[in-house]
Amino acid sequence: MKAVLFDLDGTLFDTAPDFVVVLNQLRQQEKLTPLADATIREVVSNGARAMVRLGFGVDEGEAGFDELRQRLLDLYLMHLAKHTVPFPGIETLLNQLAEHSIAWGVVTNKPSAYTIPLLQAFAHLPTPGAVICPDDVTHRKPDPEPILLACSRIGCAPGEAVYVGDHERDIMAGRAAGMPTIACSYGYIDSDDDPANWNADHLIHDASEIWPLLQQQYLKNT
């Protein structure tokens, strides 16, 4: 095992608190009442489009959708990383990986305009070996292209890495790339979804479970 790759929102970082703030700010601008935090958390992994649909009941292609989405993204960029934190156990995990000379990387569907500043806000963490955003590839997850690109940049074969994510498309992408996958139930899971049905190799409920799992299954000589 040479690398561990992570999805970003809902897996590596708890970014939902900032999205809760900005979506409700936008709703306030539109004279609407705030939505509950838990309601917004469920859709964060699905991106800005899903949040606009949730917040305003309009679908992509309908009047006003693009304007609302851009306003949401502008607010988010101004509010980036104000309340975002690594999930409990992630910082310790990244340090453990670094101590054992195991690379880590980010493979996300979040555009680089938001991903890079967010990671820069956590510059005290070990430096990632690769950060792959949709702007870097032709096809985003669930296509395996971004995961394969991350492996190429790190210098490992797909079978020498693990992919960790909180959405079914993460597991689909990892499996298509030919690597073991870990599903995170602590992430942003839709209320009608069940990570146990994603066909991941492993299912965890807390990020602190990742290192013991890696040691047991993939790093038996450490």
Side-chain angles (χ1 to χ4, degrees):
M1 186 59 55
K2 295 182 178 178
V4 180
L5 306 176
F6 299 88
D7 175 51
L8 186 58
D9 300 82
T11 301
L12 200 65
F13 291 153
D14 187 3
T15 55
D18 286 319
F19 281 113
V20 168
V21 170
V22 298
L23 181 57
N24 279 329
Q25 279 183 352
L26 190 56
R27 281 178 60 86
Q28 184 180 35
Q29 293 174 10
E30 294 296 307
K31 307 296 190 294
L32 297 169
T33 57
L35 293 174
D37 292 13
T39 301
I40 298 173
R41 285 184 71 88
E42 284 187 8
V43 304
V44 167
S45 277
N46 291 318
R49 290 176 175 83
M51 281 182 276
V52 170
R53 284 193 294 270
L54 171 70
F56 304 97
V58 293
D59 286 315
E60 193 166 7
E62 294 181 354
F65 182 92
D66 290 338
E67 180 197 0
L68 286 167
R69 177 176 173 272
Q70 190 57 54
R71 287 166 61 194
L72 178 71
L73 291 173
D74 290 344
L75 285 171
Y76 179 60
L77 195 56
M78 290 188 291
H79 210 276
L80 193 70
K82 287 191 177 179
H83 300 294
T84 290
V85 293
F87 278 101
I90 287 293
E91 189 164 347
T92 298
L93 170 63
L94 296 183
N95 286 321
Q96 288 169 319
L97 293 173
E99 289 167 7
H100 289 80
S101 300
I102 299 169
W104 73 278
V106 173
V107 179
T108 177
N109 282 351
K110 192 188 196 83
S112 60
Y114 311 98
T115 297
I116 301 305
L118 180 58
L119 290 171
Q120 288 172 341
F122 295 92
H124 65 284
L125 297 175
T127 303
V131 178
I132 307 300
C133 301
D135 353 3
D136 300 310
V137 293
T138 303
H139 305 289
R140 63 175 63 197
K141 297 179 298 183
D143 192 279
E145 182 186 354
I147 291 180
L148 295 173
L149 179 58
C151 290
S152 175
R153 291 190 177 175
I154 288 173
C156 69
E160 296 172 324
V162 172
Y163 191 58
V164 187
D166 73 315
H167 196 283
E168 186 174 15
R169 68 171 163 264
D170 298 323
I171 306 307
M172 293 170 63
R175 288 171 62 86
M179 66 176 56
T181 55
I182 300 175
C184 304
S185 70
Y186 63 78
Y188 307 143
I189 314 296
D190 291 340
S191 57
D192 59 352
D193 200 359
D194 184 355
N197 296 329
W198 298 348
N199 296 314
D201 294 285
H202 310 282
L203 174 62
I204 62 164
H205 308 291
D206 189 281
S208 64
E209 299 173 41
I210 297 175
W211 180 248
L213 173 62
L214 294 175
Q215 283 187 303
Q216 180 183 9
Q217 298 290 330
Y218 305 107
L219 304 168
K220 294 181 180 179
N221 294 323
T222 62

